[in-house]
Amino acid sequence: MAQVFGGLGRVFDQSGGLSLAQRLGFFAFVLLLLYFYWRATRAWLAYKPGPVDVQQLTDSTPILGKNAPSIEDLTAELRRQLSESSMYAPTTLPAEAPTTSFLELLGDIEIDPKKLGAVLPRLLSRLRPKLAYRVGGVLRFRDEGPDQCGMTVTVMAFVFGGSRAMTVWGKDWDEVIHKAACCVISSLLPVTRAGRQPPWRQWWGRELKPELYEAYQKANELSRVGHYHEAVVRYYEAIRLDPANPYLRAELAEIQEKMGLHIDALDTCQRALALDEQTAHGYNKRLWQSGRKLNWCRRYFRHSRRYRDMLGLRYRNTIILGISEMTAEQWYERRGTNSQGTHEKLIPVLVDRYWPVAVDLADIDPLDKNQACFDDEEKARNWLEVALKLPSDSEDCDAAKEKNLSRVRLAFQRAATQETNCLAIDDLCARLAGLYAPDRVWSWIRFFWPFSYFQRVPGPLQPVTRGAFQVNRKTWAPLRLAWASENFDNNRSPGSLYVRTGPLVWDRIQIKELSKQIHAARRRIPLCPLWRRRDWLTLYNSACVYALAMKTEAATEHLRNELARHAVKMLEKAVLVAKGRFASVEQAWLVNEDPDLKSLQANKLFQGFVQTAYPSPEVPDKSAPSSAEQMRDYDYRLLEETAKVMQEVWLRRSKEAGLDIHEATEWLRIERGIWERIHEVAAADRIFSWRDRVELIRSVQVNSNPTVCATAGFPPSVLADDGAPDGRPSSEEIDKLLERLKKGTELDWAPDMISLLWQQALSQASADRQAFDATTFRELSFGYAAAWQRLHDWLAREPKDQDGEQPFLKAMRNIPKP
């Protein structure tokens, strides 16, 4: 150390004996080090990123009076939306921009050899930049067009020395601020650390469309609050803009599964299994290779990120196939959004991918005896294709229908077992190869250095743990396979052979053997710390295995209670280690929706656990509804909230001073469309058609003020917090009333016909240049408001009378006719 400081002293000492060239070389070397340090700090600040200077917005709009925008409020809202992205923290005060060149930086510092103690700290502080990006915006306004409010937002990058300007338009300032925030974030994601995380990893270094980011964020927001129907539409918009993103498809499949659309979710997963840079033929070949041939896993070592991107999607595919009693039932009954088209297009994919599951079934249970098959593959393909094409109304005998259903169920269950085994082996190879090592090292660094504020970058992280894979592989999949095989054997033809099953026998389940299998699956192995075994998903899957075993008919009451005790014990441990979204988002799925826990949900131990883990004022006194019942209950609440919103909308219209005949015509057109959507939603054969509900929700939102929808809580969440109110109209009563309204029974005209006649009358008056009486329109608005109010009162049973729907029908008859 003394030699180092002595050498530095000789540099600045004129009598040190160093030549001019040596001194110049030393200073050149120091300048080079400072330059690289300056570039490194700027690059890290841009990649991190650091604080972003959001400047005060500039107002260039000619709007005066109460409609003038508040610059302070809009600037604060823009900063709030940028900070909620968790990508960076915008500064609340303007900051000085860093110098743009290294020479300018050195020129601002007066270097005096006699005052190095003061010069060096100042120089080092100036070398470390404070800002990497600056965001500014100019508010604009135009007189023409539906979107009159706008803003030109500019993002300046000090590191790269460039800027980007974008102009967005909206119907109000809130929409403009939201679009501007999406533009800023989509500009910074591909060049910052957040862009390295899914689902934006494929967009690193590329131009990310603001529409894609906006659609994904809106879909996440809607799914969190339970608005699944609107979330599905947003996910489809995002997938249309990024069709090769497996994360988007996995989240879409999860939402479809929660909506009870298992066939649609299966189609979403099956179409995306080959998105990890391989062909569909290559995926099918690897799926049926032996687990001992690990050489084919090397492709994942070359594309490690692709493997991790596909992990959640492949796991969701195994779950959808694994709950075969529900997936097979919907498949057999051709239920879904586009049942016939989805089934016909999905059959060739399933036959090509899963024909080995039917190799022995073609001999045990031949379906097409007239077709000659020369080898096992052809025979298996033919059997699986015929089994998947059998419609639900092909035979009148209930026993024959049950037999056909058991065939489809066994095929799906075998496919799920094979997918689970392949996925578990892939995960083991990936862990042994060290694909998760970088994340593990970073987690340990954060664990030992927790002295700074740390906010995790949002986005899907590791979706499934090794313990969850092993529990599903060794217990969950074999147990469900045994159940499906037992169901198939019970419906088999007399004299045929039994199908082969896994290590567990469905009608002879023992708790000791089941617990032994679960413990073996959760057992610690080398290179896997013990604390990783206590993760939420592993414990939750273990509880599902115990709850699933309660479904066997051979289980006694004592055995069911013991299985329930073990399942609740696992759930209690899972709640204790729950972190992040598992602590709250999964509550509805655990309590009401998971098909594995259906038998457990009626047990007193489970109900006590629910009241402890998720306390509520009242204890539910009935079991959870099925998917069809849940959708029908949602239709009822949607109709009730629609009536409430439309009542407020027409009351506000009746108080408006001025009347635009063209605007009134548009109102009546949308009113007619709302009644048509109501009839479509209430149709019994369209209960799983989510598009009808989305169209109704959009019609109401377009026809009303956003404040009205927010105040009324429209649209309602799919997951109801409370049960159905006592005395509400039954589904049959609502269907009969809507049918009478559609046909105009007991009315002069049907509601949609009244709106159509008024629409035609206003259009004719506009064409003839006739003035429309504001008093007449006010009476019409009062008539519609009264009709919607009576409908809401009848649905909510607010007046405790026995008139039923008669007040509503009377209010409909009192609507003025043109």
Side-chain angles (χ1 to χ4, degrees):
M1 186 64 65
Q3 294 180 357
V4 173
F5 284 102
L8 292 177
R10 293 180 60 190
V11 173
F12 296 98
D13 188 5
Q14 296 181 358
S15 60
L18 296 180
S19 64
L20 180 61
Q22 291 176 335
R23 296 176 187 272
L24 292 178
F26 173 79
F27 283 111
F29 179 73
V30 171
L31 290 178
L32 185 63
L33 288 180
L34 293 177
Y35 173 76
F36 280 114
Y37 174 77
W38 176 72
R39 291 290 301 179
T41 53
R42 284 165 58 93
W44 170 248
L45 190 65
Y47 177 74
K48 189 178 179 180
V52 177
D53 179 20
V54 182
Q55 294 185 316
Q56 189 86 356
L57 299 180
T58 304
D59 186 12
S60 64
T61 62
I63 305 178
L64 301 176
K66 63 178 182 180
N67 294 327
S70 175
I71 302 301
E72 291 77 10
D73 293 345
L74 295 181
T75 304
E77 179 64 19
L78 178 61
R79 288 170 177 165
R80 184 191 65 83
Q81 294 197 20
L82 293 180
S83 62
E84 282 186 353
S85 66
S86 298
M87 192 173 67
Y88 45 77
T91 58
T92 57
L93 297 176
E96 181 183 357
T99 53
T100 57
S101 67
F102 183 69
L103 295 179
E104 292 178 1
L105 177 66
L106 294 181
D108 294 339
I109 306 295
E110 296 181 2
I111 301 179
D112 188 357
K114 299 180 180 180
K115 300 180 179 180
L116 291 179
V119 173
L120 290 179
R122 182 184 178 188
L123 177 62
L124 293 177
S125 65
R126 292 294 304 274
L127 286 175
R128 184 178 180 86
K130 306 298 186 301
L131 293 175
Y133 304 99
R134 170 171 289 173
V135 177
V138 178
L139 301 181
R140 302 172 60 182
F141 186 83
R142 58 185 181 185
D143 297 331
E144 300 179 355
D147 299 333
Q148 296 182 333
C149 302
M151 183 172 71
T152 298
V153 59
T154 304
V155 181
M156 179 180 296
F158 295 116
V159 176
F160 310 107
S163 63
R164 183 179 183 184
M166 298 153 286
T167 301
V168 295
W169 298 93
K171 59 183 179 182
D172 52 30
W173 294 113
D174 293 336
E175 182 180 355
V176 169
I177 292 298
H178 176 70
K179 290 184 177 180
C182 292
C183 290
V184 173
I185 298 175
S186 62
S187 299
L188 299 184
L189 268 176
V191 294
T192 58
R193 180 174 52 184
R196 293 288 191 181
Q197 299 294 330
W200 313 115
R201 185 176 293 159
Q202 301 178 17
W203 292 92
W204 173 258
R206 300 167 55 192
E207 182 178 357
L208 177 63
K209 298 180 180 179
E211 296 82 4
L212 173 58
Y213 177 81
E214 182 180 4
Y216 177 74
Q217 290 297 106
K218 191 63 177 179
N220 268 337
E221 178 183 349
L222 292 171
S223 63
R224 284 195 300 268
V225 297
H227 297 169
Y228 296 150
H229 300 87
E230 299 173 274
V232 168
V233 178
R234 292 291 185 172
Y235 273 120
Y236 274 116
E237 293 178 2
I239 292 176
R240 179 179 57 83
L241 296 172
D242 190 7
N245 196 322
Y247 279 99
L248 300 181
R249 294 178 182 263
E251 294 183 14
L252 172 62
E254 184 177 358
I255 296 298
Q256 290 171 331
E257 186 180 2
K258 290 183 178 180
M259 295 172 60
L261 303 175
H262 298 283
I263 302 304
D264 298 74
L266 179 63
D267 181 69
T268 301
C269 293
Q270 290 292 321
R271 301 291 180 182
L273 289 178
L275 289 181
D276 55 345
E277 297 185 356
Q278 63 176 326
T279 62
H281 175 73
Y283 179 86
N284 301 342
K285 182 180 179 180
R286 291 191 304 103
L287 178 63
W288 297 100
Q289 280 183 335
S290 173
R292 299 178 181 177
K293 299 179 180 180
L294 301 181
N295 55 346
W296 49 265
C297 289
R298 290 181 299 178
R299 71 175 314 278
Y300 281 138
F301 305 154
R302 297 192 303 267
H303 307 284
S304 58
R305 289 183 176 178
R306 282 292 187 176
Y307 163 73
R308 300 188 63 182
D309 292 346
M310 292 294 299
L311 197 62
L313 182 66
R314 293 177 61 188
Y315 181 78
R316 181 57 49 191
N317 179 60
T318 61
I319 297 300
I320 297 172
L321 288 171
I323 51 174
S324 57
E325 71 277 8
M326 303 181 66
T327 307
E329 181 181 0
Q330 286 196 7
W331 180 277
Y332 188 70
E333 296 180 358
R334 300 297 191 264
R335 285 157 53 183
T337 304
N338 184 17
S339 57
Q340 192 63 30
T342 302
H343 285 72
E344 294 300 327
K345 295 178 181 179
L346 196 55
I347 286 177
V349 178
L350 296 177
V351 172
D352 289 340
R353 185 161 292 160
Y354 301 122
W355 65 264
V357 303
V359 171
D360 60 328
L361 297 179
D363 296 328
I364 296 176
D365 183 35
L367 294 179
D368 191 356
K369 300 180 181 180
N370 298 326
Q371 183 175 357
C373 300
F374 301 99
D375 55 6
D376 292 340
E377 179 179 351
E378 184 181 1
K379 189 185 303 182
R381 285 177 175 270
N382 179 54
W383 187 95
L384 184 57
E385 183 176 2
V386 173
L388 294 177
K389 285 185 176 181
L390 285 176
S392 59
D393 55 352
S394 59
E395 302 180 38
D396 298 331
C397 180
D398 293 338
K401 292 182 179 181
E402 186 67 24
K403 182 178 180 180
N404 294 336
L405 181 61
S406 66
R407 295 189 182 107
V408 179
R409 179 181 175 184
L410 181 59
F412 282 163
Q413 199 65 60
R414 287 187 170 185
T417 303
Q418 185 65 26
E419 290 277 9
T420 303
N421 293 335
C422 182
L423 191 56
I425 294 175
D426 285 358
D427 179 73
L428 178 60
C429 295
R431 292 180 183 276
L432 295 177
L435 295 186
Y436 303 137
D439 291 342
R440 186 70 55 80
V441 172
W442 175 248
S443 299
W444 280 107
I445 291 176
R446 299 303 306 179
F447 179 77
F448 286 109
W449 187 259
F451 307 116
S452 61
Y453 173 74
F454 174 70
Q455 188 173 12
R456 187 179 294 276
V457 178
L461 300 178
Q462 182 68 16
V464 192
T465 59
R466 177 191 172 272
F469 282 134
Q470 294 301 323
V471 168
N472 284 6
R473 179 190 181 188
K474 294 186 177 181
T475 56
W476 182 79
L479 188 60
R480 279 194 163 274
L481 179 60
W483 184 16
S485 302
E486 181 72 17
N487 182 265
F488 177 79
D489 290 333
N490 292 337
N491 294 279
R492 64 187 175 86
S493 302
S496 61
L497 301 175
Y498 286 92
V499 298
R500 53 185 175 86
T501 61
L504 299 175
V505 181
W506 177 251
D507 57 351
R508 293 193 298 273
I509 294 178
Q510 298 180 0
I511 294 183
K512 291 184 178 180
E513 183 64 25
L514 201 61
S515 300
K516 182 179 179 181
Q517 294 287 342
I518 294 177
H519 179 72
R522 298 176 56 233
R523 185 171 51 197
R524 183 172 64 91
I525 65 172
L527 303 180
C528 188
L530 179 61
W531 64 273
R532 294 288 293 177
R533 307 263 48 84
R534 298 183 66 252
D535 62 274
W536 187 92
L537 195 56
T538 300
L539 295 170
Y540 183 81
N541 289 357
S542 302
C544 289
V545 173
Y546 286 115
L548 184 63
M550 298 174 61
K551 294 178 179 289
T552 175
E553 298 178 358
T556 61
E557 187 67 22
H558 175 72
L559 179 59
R560 289 192 178 93
N561 291 334
E562 286 296 315
L563 290 171
R565 185 175 63 84
H566 282 75
V568 171
K569 183 179 179 181
M570 289 295 177
L571 291 176
E572 289 175 346
K573 293 181 179 179
V575 171
L576 292 177
V577 300
K579 296 180 180 179
R581 66 186 185 94
F582 295 114
S584 59
V585 177
E586 300 299 327
Q587 172 186 352
W589 178 259
L590 184 150
V591 177
N592 296 323
E593 303 176 29
D594 196 333
D596 289 329
L597 302 179
K598 288 297 182 182
S599 298
L600 181 64
Q601 290 167 356
N603 191 277
K604 295 182 179 180
L605 293 176
F606 179 79
Q607 295 176 1
F609 158 75
V610 171
Q611 288 300 309
T612 303
Y614 311 108
S616 60
E618 299 180 359
V619 180
D621 56 353
K622 58 182 179 180
S623 59
S626 62
S627 298
E629 293 174 348
Q630 184 181 9
M631 287 296 102
R632 185 53 68 192
D633 178 74
Y634 177 74
D635 292 339
Y636 168 83
R637 291 185 286 111
L638 180 60
L639 181 58
E640 182 181 356
E641 295 299 330
T642 299
K644 183 178 179 180
V645 171
M646 294 307 300
Q647 170 195 349
E648 181 65 25
V649 167
W650 283 108
L651 284 177
R652 293 195 177 194
R653 290 171 179 173
S654 64
K655 301 176 183 179
E656 294 185 1
L659 176 65
D660 187 356
I661 190 171
H662 300 284
E663 189 175 7
T665 304
E666 182 66 16
W667 289 344
L668 292 168
R669 185 189 67 81
I670 300 178
E671 175 76 16
R672 179 168 60 91
I674 290 175
W675 283 105
E676 293 176 354
R677 299 289 182 269
I678 288 177
H679 290 294
E680 294 175 354
V681 169
D685 58 341
R686 301 175 66 90
I687 189 172
F688 286 98
S689 180
W690 56 269
R691 289 189 175 91
D692 297 336
R693 300 180 181 90
V694 172
E695 291 298 329
L696 175 60
I697 293 172
R698 285 184 171 179
S699 299
V700 175
Q701 290 175 338
V702 169
N703 201 27
S704 61
N705 190 288
T707 306
V708 177
C709 293
T711 304
F714 184 88
S717 173
V718 175
L719 304 176
D721 296 333
D722 302 325
D726 297 334
R728 81 172 195 184
S730 62
S731 300
E732 292 75 12
E733 291 179 314
I734 298 177
D735 294 340
K736 290 180 180 179
L737 175 63
L738 294 178
E739 187 65 23
R740 292 162 64 184
L741 293 177
K742 187 175 182 179
K743 296 181 180 179
T745 307
E746 301 182 8
L747 297 173
D748 297 334
W749 292 298
D752 51 349
M753 182 58 65
I754 297 177
S755 303
L756 178 60
L757 293 176
W758 272 109
Q759 180 184 351
Q760 294 174 350
L762 293 181
S763 299
Q764 186 64 34
S766 176
D768 297 340
R769 298 183 179 179
Q770 297 178 0
F772 187 67
D773 189 8
T775 304
T776 303
F777 185 79
R778 189 175 297 108
E779 294 177 356
L780 177 63
S781 301
F782 278 123
Y784 273 116
W788 284 110
Q789 179 183 4
R790 288 297 187 180
L791 177 60
H792 177 266
D793 293 343
W794 178 63
L795 294 173
R797 294 298 201 201
E798 292 181 355
K800 304 301 181 181
D801 53 23
Q802 302 298 327
D803 294 338
E805 71 275 8
Q806 293 303 320
F808 166 66
L809 295 175
K810 182 179 179 181
M812 291 297 303
R813 286 193 293 267
N814 292 336
I815 296 179
K817 309 300 186 299

